Amino acid sequence: MTFALRLEDLLAYTDWDREQWHAWFRHQGPAALDVGLGPNGDGRINSVGELVRHIFSAEKRYVERALGKPLTDTSTVSTSDVDALFAFGVVSRTALRELLGTMPAERWDIPHEMQIGTRSLRVTPRKMIVQAVTHELRHWAQVATFMRLDGRQSGVHDFLVSPVFDVPAAGSGS
């Protein structure tokens, strides 16, 4: 098989999905960010706004870990201000794209010691970045579920309806 999904393809999809969510939350208003995650959480993340901040925070922190930089305190990013929250998402994505464009090839597979909660791990920057992207995909699906459980329809976020890999229609002049 010669087909290979590139990281850039997943970033293009998540960029598009973030735009969909940002527009949807702007339309819904900040009350949608206040939707709770229910009684069975771990106590660290209690609302959809906190979950969205967690998505962007993880991306930012994995980049910082890959670069050996101190971790950003993201607790000051508002979880009830739609535009501030998604502006932070732009910051985290910009940092990721900068890392992808500047890290020397030989550094991608050098393990780094990192602490995640109570676990100490040795992880390469390559694995950290794949984790950041798959982490995001998983959590947006959770956001959609929490919205449905709250009686809100958040639209279609499937890869199939995204513009990634789209081919212009015949006769469109493109």
Side-chain angles (χ1 to χ4, degrees):
M1 178 193 247
T2 59
F3 174 75
L5 184 66
R6 301 170 306 134
L7 181 60
E8 181 53 43
D9 299 326
L10 291 176
L11 292 178
Y13 167 66
T14 56
D15 285 343
W16 171 83
D17 201 30
R18 287 177 181 199
E19 290 174 16
Q20 304 311 300
W21 281 112
H22 188 188
W24 186 83
F25 278 114
R26 286 180 99 193
H27 178 73
Q28 292 290 307
L33 292 171
D34 292 334
V35 169
L37 305 189
N40 297 316
D42 64 9
R44 294 178 308 130
I45 299 170
N46 300 299
S47 71
V48 167
E50 290 174 8
L51 184 55
V52 173
R53 179 176 64 193
H54 172 73
I55 293 168
F56 302 147
S57 295
E59 180 175 74
K60 180 85 166 101
R61 289 176 177 162
Y62 281 121
V63 168
E64 292 165 346
R65 285 180 175 107
L67 293 170
K69 291 185 173 181
L71 301 183
T72 299
D73 176 6
T74 60
S75 66
T76 60
V77 177
S78 174
T79 60
S80 60
D81 180 329
V82 173
D83 290 330
L85 195 53
F86 280 86
F88 178 57
V90 170
V91 168
S92 69
R93 182 52 52 94
T94 299
L96 175 57
R97 287 191 181 283
E98 185 176 306
L99 173 74
L100 292 173
T102 60
M103 182 173 272
E106 64 273 7
R107 289 189 51 206
W108 281 105
D109 293 310
I110 298 173
H112 294 246
E113 293 288 334
M114 60 187 261
Q115 192 75 26
I116 300 288
T118 60
R119 297 181 71 165
S120 182
L121 303 169
R122 285 183 47 82
V123 182
T124 65
R126 180 183 314 275
K127 191 169 188 175
M128 288 181 216
I129 299 313
V130 171
Q131 167 64 21
V133 176
T134 58
H135 173 267
E136 176 169 351
L137 295 170
R138 186 182 78 225
H139 282 317
W140 283 125
Q142 289 177 318
V143 169
T145 300
F146 290 124
M147 293 297 96
R148 278 194 307 276
L149 291 172
D150 194 56
R152 301 168 190 258
Q153 293 186 6
S154 61
V156 179
H157 295 269
D158 290 336
F159 187 86
L160 285 175
V161 300
S162 79
V164 179
F165 299 148
D166 280 0
V167 178
S172 68
S174 301

